[in-house]
Amino acid sequence: MLIDIIAGARPNFMKIAPIIREIEKANDKSGLEKTDRHYLEYRLIHTGQHYDRNMSGAFFEQLGIPEPDMNLESGSGTQSEQTGRIMTRYEQVLTERKSDLCIVVGDVTSTMACSITAKKMGVRIAHVEGGIRSRDWTMPEEINRVATDSITDYFFTTSEVANTNLQTEGVTDDRIFFVGNTMIDTLLSNTGKLQEPAVFGSEDLSEGAYFVMTLHRPANVDEEQKLKSLIDNIAKGTEGEKIIFPVHPRTKKILDELGISHDNLVYTEPLGYLEFIWLVKHARAVITDSGGITEETTVLGIPCLTLRDNTERPETVTEGTNELIGTNPEAVKPALEKLMSGDWKTGSIPQNWDGKASTRIVEQIQVLAKNGGLDFHTPYIDNALMFETTGE
Ligand code: UD1
């Protein structure tokens, strides 16, 4: 069988790496020939949504991800432009050779675009990290999640909350597999390989006495004055401790114009995975508006202050080390005071975040392949035509 694995943007790469590794292990273990129906042949398809070396290539090298079999080179643009390019080019790929299963991960534009194309071409969809919901329609990621899940065949979920969300939306239990978190598979398999980044020495940092910050969501970075107030309040609130701020390209464009500077604020380029996680693991705390980082800090036991009003990952708050501070710059001061006074929860690790999610995913795909769950399914367009014919 042929599986397409879709990856487009930075947070996708750590989610696909362990799945690919497990597919290769499963093939070695099964001893099947490539020609066997149940051999797991795969194509790694990079949509090209993220293309800078430090947003993409560096992750492939560090995480041992093979070179993509194809790159759709969708590049920058509005989300509709990116979606259009990805859909047109992936449709061409499927026209040349149709796959049996399309695995999409996360909630980025590439996730949604490839799901829609695959579904229309009659290819089954498996969504890794399906079912999570922020209920915030101002987030493009929420639109991507809901659109993807509305046409997904099989859901590989990270939490009981995700399972419940899907059940509430009418998904039957036989399509939901609570496997855990592939991002945590990557985290746990790399803890022995982490690399101290140059900024640790060059800024004379000490373990447990600096902050890591990431900001890229439109709600925080697109309004210049709000972004400035947020950063000013954060810089004041850390009592002189340094804040290491690897800057996302979207944020960089705005910051270059604003020119905000503080003695304790250190801008860097986006870091590689192994350097970034090293920095987080040794930090006093993380300040972020990312979703994935709240999962990593939960497992690492590092306090996390999230500059958002909601989260699609509530277990990082109810069980983990994360707290939602909101996006109001005024909320930063009391949150940092609480942190600096040592009054922060320690948290626990959510169920199934044990490094084995990808093993469970690949085992389940093998079961589905054997019991006919991945057999060709009639594309929607054929159904529509059938109705027309029957109606005559
Ligand atoms: C995307 C995802 C977001 C994810 C984030 C992680 C969507 C809707 N959003 O947001 O969920 O958290 O990635 O990084 O898919 N750019 C570069 N070089 C690159 C990539 C992007 O310069 O390698 C620039 C683009 O030209 C654009 C900006 O960064 O101006 C934003 O990139 P884009 O892919 O549109 O979305 P992100 O904000 O990165």
Side-chain angles (χ1 to χ4, degrees), residues 79 107-108 138-146 216-218:
Q79 290 186 35
D107 54 22
V108 302
T138 66
M139 289 176 74
E141 292 83 358
E142 182 69 357
I143 299 168
N144 294 339
R145 288 181 201 113
V146 173
H216 74 280
R217 291 214 179 269

Side-chain angles (χ1 to χ4, degrees), residues 137-363:
W137 292 105
T138 66
M139 289 176 74
E141 292 83 358
E142 182 69 357
I143 299 168
N144 294 339
R145 288 181 201 113
V146 173
T148 301
D149 284 350
S150 70
I151 52 174
T152 287
D153 294 281
Y154 301 110
F155 300 86
F156 293 117
T157 61
T158 50
S159 69
E160 285 288 11
V161 178
N163 300 340
T164 308
N165 289 338
L166 291 169
Q167 286 155 347
T168 311
E169 290 168 21
V171 179
T172 48
D173 285 342
D174 56 339
R175 297 197 288 133
I176 304 172
F177 306 106
F178 178 24
V179 292
N181 194 325
T182 61
M183 199 161 189
I184 302 306
D185 294 0
T186 291
L187 180 68
L188 297 179
S189 66
N190 281 289
T191 40
K193 301 180 201 155
L194 302 180
Q195 294 170 9
E196 182 184 309
V199 67
F200 188 78
S202 65
E203 289 297 326
D204 201 17
L205 303 176
S206 309
E207 288 186 18
Y210 64 90
F211 288 74
V212 178
M213 177 159 84
T214 79
L215 289 175
H216 74 280
R217 291 214 179 269
N220 288 331
V221 303
D222 285 359
E223 274 177 55
E224 294 185 0
Q225 278 321 307
K226 186 172 168 188
L227 177 64
K228 183 167 173 0
S229 305
L230 265 177
I231 295 179
D232 288 347
N233 287 3
I234 291 166
K236 278 186 216 139
T238 63
E239 299 176 7
E241 280 189 16
K242 288 201 172 150
I243 304 159
I244 312 303
F245 184 8
V247 183
H248 186 282
R250 163 192 275 280
T251 316
K252 184 170 186 312
K253 286 181 194 162
I254 300 156
L255 286 177
D256 283 349
E257 280 169 32
L258 282 174
I260 305 164
S261 103
H262 291 276
D263 288 345
N264 60 336
L265 181 64
V266 181
Y267 294 108
T268 74
E269 290 288 307
L271 296 175
Y273 180 80
L274 299 176
E275 291 86 354
F276 183 75
I277 298 292
W278 192 99
L279 208 58
V280 167
K281 190 169 181 240
H282 296 93
R284 180 190 290 272
V286 172
I287 302 168
T288 190
D289 60 6
S290 151
I293 293 172
T294 67
E295 300 182 333
E296 292 163 335
T297 47
T298 281
V299 172
L300 293 169
I302 299 294
C304 184
L305 290 72
T306 294
L307 301 174
R308 286 178 53 192
D309 296 316
N310 49 57
T311 175
E312 60 290 337
R313 295 163 163 92
E315 62 283 358
T316 63
V317 177
T318 54
E319 296 176 59
T321 54
N322 183 24
E323 278 199 24
L324 296 178
I325 307 307
T327 58
N328 183 343
E330 298 307 315
V332 168
K333 190 167 175 262
L336 281 173
E337 278 170 359
K338 182 175 164 190
L339 179 92
M340 296 307 277
S341 72
D343 180 21
W344 204 265
K345 58 189 173 180
T346 47
S348 60
I349 297 178
Q351 191 186 346
N352 282 350
W353 291 20
D354 57 1
K356 297 185 184 127
S358 310
T359 315
R360 297 186 188 104
I361 289 172
V362 174
E363 280 171 3

Side-chain angles (χ1 to χ4, degrees), residues 52-117:
D52 283 354
R53 210 195 110 65
N54 59 15
M55 296 293 285
S56 174
F59 286 77
F60 276 67
E61 278 164 32
Q62 290 195 337
L63 301 178
I65 306 172
E67 277 288 306
D69 295 284
M70 39 194 93
N71 191 319
L72 307 182
E73 292 177 354
S74 63
S76 296
T78 67
Q79 290 186 35
S80 297
E81 285 166 346
Q82 286 175 325
T83 303
R85 283 196 289 265
I86 296 169
M87 288 183 70
T88 317
R89 294 172 192 177
Y90 185 42
E91 184 180 54
Q92 188 59 38
V93 170
L94 288 176
T95 304
E96 280 161 26
R97 188 177 170 207
K98 190 174 277 184
S99 53
D100 301 289
L101 179 68
C102 173
I103 300 183
V104 293
V105 300
D107 54 22
V108 302
T109 300
S110 306
T111 311
M112 175 198 65
C114 289
S115 306
I116 294 174
T117 304

